[in-house]
Amino acid sequence: MKKYAADLHIHTCLSPCSDNDMTPANILNMAKLAGLDMVGITDHNSAENIKAFLEAAHDYDILVIPGMEVNTREEVHVLCYFQDMDGIMEWQEVIYKHLPPIKNNKDIFGDQLVVDFMGGVIREEERFLLSAVDLSFDEIVKQVTNLGGICIPSHIDRPHNSLIYNLGLIPEDAGICAVEISKNTLYEEVIKEIPVLKEFTVIQSSDAHSLGEILDRRTYFLLEDLTFKEFTLALKRIKGRKVILEI
Amino acid sequence: MTLKLGQIVDNLGLKVVTGTDLLDREVQGGYTSDLLSWVMAHAKEGCLWITVQNHQNIVAVASLLGLAGIIVAEGVEVEEKTREKGEKEKVCILTTEKSAYEISGLLYQMGLGK
């Protein structure tokens, strides 16, 4: 098996809070410089830029994992990953049905740019993407799993929009196998605060909103080869696949 | 001042979702918040907790702290899983159409927390 470095939480120019230069080529070139083998593209409540990233990724030896960071009814942020365009688009339809019909005010929140694989702006997304969707954390995990995807609660150590902060503890039987810790902490520190996390796979990601934030090689996946299937096996710690954190 | 859960239910016209057999429980005070970790850190035993959260974890938190019960406010419906948990853990869950602000004020007026 081989070790593959990953940063699984990156926002593109679609997220209102991100820089407008978070385009496919910029992010993938930065990932290449950082020595990453795998990136997760995870905009807030939307997957409009996934297609552009999958197209752009043809020119790189990097696996792009289609993802989304959903804001649950309880205002918990949870990362949802899918194997391909079909999966993530089906999921986007579900999310859009449960997203409140509020329009973005770009003067306050920022631009929501949908781009092509060259980074050219196709349009601006009108729906305000930062709202909480009217689906509970448990419902989201269940539905993502049913659609063949996998969920990882975001920045579980953070004192806002995190599963532990908003919901107190990891819900029983929710089907969570892995959690994310934010980039400015250490595994040992988080475990000291929240000992129960020892029972989970822990990944560390950047939650990058600007190019400079994309993480260097810190979270490694031990896999047979670089595929979505193998990625999910590692999160579940099956057949020797696993995640290794290195500083 | 303490009150029985049943008195509060009658006075404020609350709907009893779980724990119809728990209404003679004594309530020592009130606590209002929707951040569960915050509740875990600050709510006191015997308190009646007012929230708009309907996730199953509210039962775990109430049970962990020995709260007198939970009022799910603002007409929020209690999830099935939460209801089942409430029955199992013997946590009284009440609901109201009133806002969290209003119900907190009414409880205070009844003498709770004074």
Side-chain angles (χ1 to χ4, degrees):
Chain A
M1 274 191 269
K2 209 183 138 193
K3 274 163 72 181
Y4 297 95
D7 184 353
L8 296 168
H9 188 164
I10 299 173
H11 291 269
T12 81
C13 48
L14 175 62
S15 294
C17 38
S18 282
D19 287 357
N20 285 352
D21 62 0
M22 293 295 271
T23 57
N26 283 347
I27 288 174
L28 288 167
N29 281 326
M30 196 51 119
K32 193 172 160 187
L33 285 173
L36 298 175
D37 304 300
M38 214 190 313
V39 294
I41 301 300
T42 52
D43 283 308
H44 293 291
N45 294 333
S46 181
E48 300 288 352
N49 277 345
I50 297 296
K51 184 166 170 268
F53 273 83
L54 291 176
E55 283 171 14
H58 288 152
D59 299 332
Y60 298 81
D61 287 327
I62 294 173
L63 176 68
V64 169
I65 300 185
M68 188 190 295
E69 186 177 36
V70 174
N71 190 11
T72 77
R73 181 189 290 150
E74 305 91 352
E75 306 224 355
V76 171
H77 285 185
V78 58
L79 299 160
C80 309
Y81 299 104
F82 291 87
Q83 175 156 16
D84 50 30
M85 267 307 275
D86 289 354
I88 194 90
M89 284 300 124
E90 212 175 325
W91 178 236
Q92 180 176 263
E93 237 176 83
V94 176
I95 288 302
Y96 280 179
K97 268 186 212 146
H98 293 91
L99 194 62
I102 302 169
K103 283 194 175 171
N104 183 32
N105 182 334
K106 56 184 189 177
D107 293 334
I108 296 173
F109 298 105
D111 297 326
Q112 299 184 153
L113 307 178
V114 179
V115 293
D116 60 25
F117 76 102
M118 299 282 283
V121 177
I122 301 172
R123 64 182 177 86
E124 294 189 35
E125 178 56 53
E126 283 200 349
R127 297 176 185 84
F128 178 50
L129 298 176
L130 291 182
S131 308
V133 299
D134 192 16
L135 282 169
S136 74
F137 176 82
D138 292 27
E139 280 169 316
I140 285 165
V141 176
K142 198 169 136 193
Q143 290 201 40
V144 167
T145 309
N146 285 345
L147 288 172
I150 195 160
C151 283
I152 302 180
S154 309
H155 37 68
I156 198 136
D157 54 299
R158 234 168 58 177
H160 51 93
N161 297 117
S162 86
L163 180 62
I164 295 284
Y165 193 69
N166 292 42
L167 282 177
L169 42 135
I170 296 176
E172 263 178 54
D173 343 309
I176 291 298
C177 61
V179 298
E180 179 200 84
I181 60 172
S182 47
K183 81 179 217 180
N184 295 323
T185 188
L186 292 170
Y187 177 78
E188 290 73 18
E189 279 176 19
V190 179
I191 290 294
K192 225 190 283 167
E193 285 284 315
I194 319 166
V196 69
L197 295 186
K198 266 188 226 156
E199 294 163 28
F200 296 83
T201 297
V202 176
I203 64 163
Q204 190 164 31
S205 313
S206 68
D207 193 1
H209 287 71
S210 62
L211 288 170
E213 291 175 281
I214 291 171
L215 213 54
D216 45 8
R217 293 160 69 87
R218 205 177 292 187
T219 294
Y220 291 90
F221 281 72
L222 192 64
L223 310 174
E224 201 58 61
D225 52 338
L226 195 53
T227 62
F228 180 79
K229 174 89 189 138
E230 286 280 319
F231 155 75
T232 59
L233 288 179
L235 291 174
K236 293 174 185 164
R237 287 161 286 175
I238 291 174
K239 293 184 188 160
R241 276 72 163 173
K242 61 179 177 178
V243 173
I244 303 159
L245 291 187
E246 284 176 19
I247 300 165
Chain B
M1 159 126 200
T2 60
L3 289 165
K4 295 239 186 224
L5 264 181
Q7 277 175 276
I8 294 169
V9 167
D10 292 343
N11 249 330
L12 303 181
L14 307 176
K15 198 177 136 206
V16 182
V17 179
T18 64
T20 38
D21 52 336
L22 303 171
L23 298 179
D24 59 347
R25 245 183 219 178
E26 294 230 322
V27 184
Q28 323 275 351
Y31 193 83
T32 308
S33 173
D34 301 317
L35 287 171
L36 272 63
S37 62
W38 194 269
V39 177
M40 279 164 83
H42 297 97
K44 299 208 168 60
E45 198 180 338
C47 272
L48 184 53
W49 169 28
I50 299 130
T51 181
V52 294
Q53 292 277 17
N54 60 357
H55 188 274
Q56 55 162 328
N57 278 11
I58 61 173
V59 174
V61 169
S63 162
L64 204 72
L65 297 177
L67 302 183
I70 308 167
I71 300 180
V72 178
E74 322 232 353
V76 171
E77 240 182 84
V78 175
E79 283 177 27
E80 192 50 42
K81 231 166 153 183
T82 308
R83 191 188 304 242
E84 283 167 18
K85 269 243 154 87
E87 294 287 3
K88 206 176 119 211
E89 301 283 331
K90 300 218 160 301
V91 169
C92 180
I93 305 175
L94 310 163
T95 58
T96 179
E97 294 291 324
K98 293 188 174 74
S99 73
Y101 172 76
E102 201 182 349
I103 207 79
S104 304
L106 289 168
L107 284 170
Y108 195 75
Q109 236 172 28
M110 283 176 75
L112 214 60
K114 280 186 197 164

